[in-house]
Amino acid sequence: MKFVSIIIGSKSDYEIAAEAGKILSGFGVNYELIISSAHRSPERTSEYVKDAQKRGAAVFICMAGMAAHLAGAVAANTVKPVIGVPMPGSALSGVDALYSTVQMPSGIPVATLAVGKAGAKNAAYLAVQMLALSDDNLAVKLADDREKQAKILEEDSKKVEVLLKG
């Protein structure tokens, strides 16, 4: 069974990571979430990635702040897609995590998204898009979701719009 693995660097990242989980669940995509650190538990991280691959992990989403080497540590242990989400919370408001996540050496890619909640949500959407490459039902759900988002935007606009009459 294919699933998405979400790895967070610390418990403080859970609230934002849960946003990705909600989106995955909404599409009917199985996922698991663990806390593991590139620095505080490097062996756990490596062992988990190898085990998750064997069990069907198709995409890894990694969320970490500050030095944020979690996505890189995961990417070093798999050839599956790795999506990095830099987390806020440091004195630099996540910019340090962004640089740490996006600056990967050639040949070890990490798809790096926005800092924080928007990045977490888009990581889930990107993982679903990756899975939809080989799952037509999931592709239909994605297309339906886009239409739903457009309709919601139009309805929101109707509530606030002021147009020139003329």
Side-chain angles (χ1 to χ4, degrees):
M1 169 185 62
K2 287 185 181 180
F3 66 93
V4 174
S5 170
I6 301 173
I7 307 171
I8 58 177
S10 68
K11 186 178 175 186
S12 64
D13 300 329
Y14 177 76
E15 188 175 314
I16 292 174
E19 295 295 325
K22 289 177 194 174
I23 290 168
L24 293 169
S25 291
F27 282 103
V29 172
N30 293 317
Y31 74 95
E32 60 185 32
L33 185 149
I34 71 159
I35 299 171
S36 195
S37 170
H39 300 107
R40 293 175 294 213
S41 57
E43 289 176 17
R44 171 182 163 83
T45 301
S46 177
E47 289 170 10
Y48 168 76
V49 170
K50 291 172 186 173
D51 178 63
Q53 281 186 130
K54 289 177 188 171
R55 294 183 294 107
V59 180
F60 290 88
I61 297 174
C62 302
M63 302 182 191
M66 300 179 82
H69 293 293
L70 181 57
V74 170
N77 283 285
T78 185
V79 295
K80 301 291 186 185
V82 176
I83 303 169
V85 180
M87 299 302 276
S90 69
L92 299 177
S93 301
V95 173
D96 49 347
L98 174 63
Y99 288 156
S100 294
T101 306
V102 79
Q103 292 293 337
M104 290 299 298
S106 177
I108 311 294
V110 169
T112 305
L113 299 179
V115 174
K117 189 174 179 179
K121 288 181 174 184
N122 279 337
Y125 278 108
L126 183 56
V128 173
Q129 288 175 323
M130 290 173 177
L131 295 173
L133 291 170
S134 60
D135 184 332
D136 291 339
N137 291 328
L138 205 49
V140 168
K141 288 180 182 180
L142 274 167
D144 290 346
D145 184 72
R146 287 280 175 99
E147 286 182 32
K148 179 182 172 187
Q149 287 183 51
K151 287 178 183 174
I152 290 169
L153 182 77
E154 289 174 24
E155 292 302 315
D156 287 347
S157 180
K158 287 177 185 175
K159 294 173 187 172
V160 300
E161 64 190 27
V162 176
L163 301 175
L164 292 175
K165 306 290 184 209

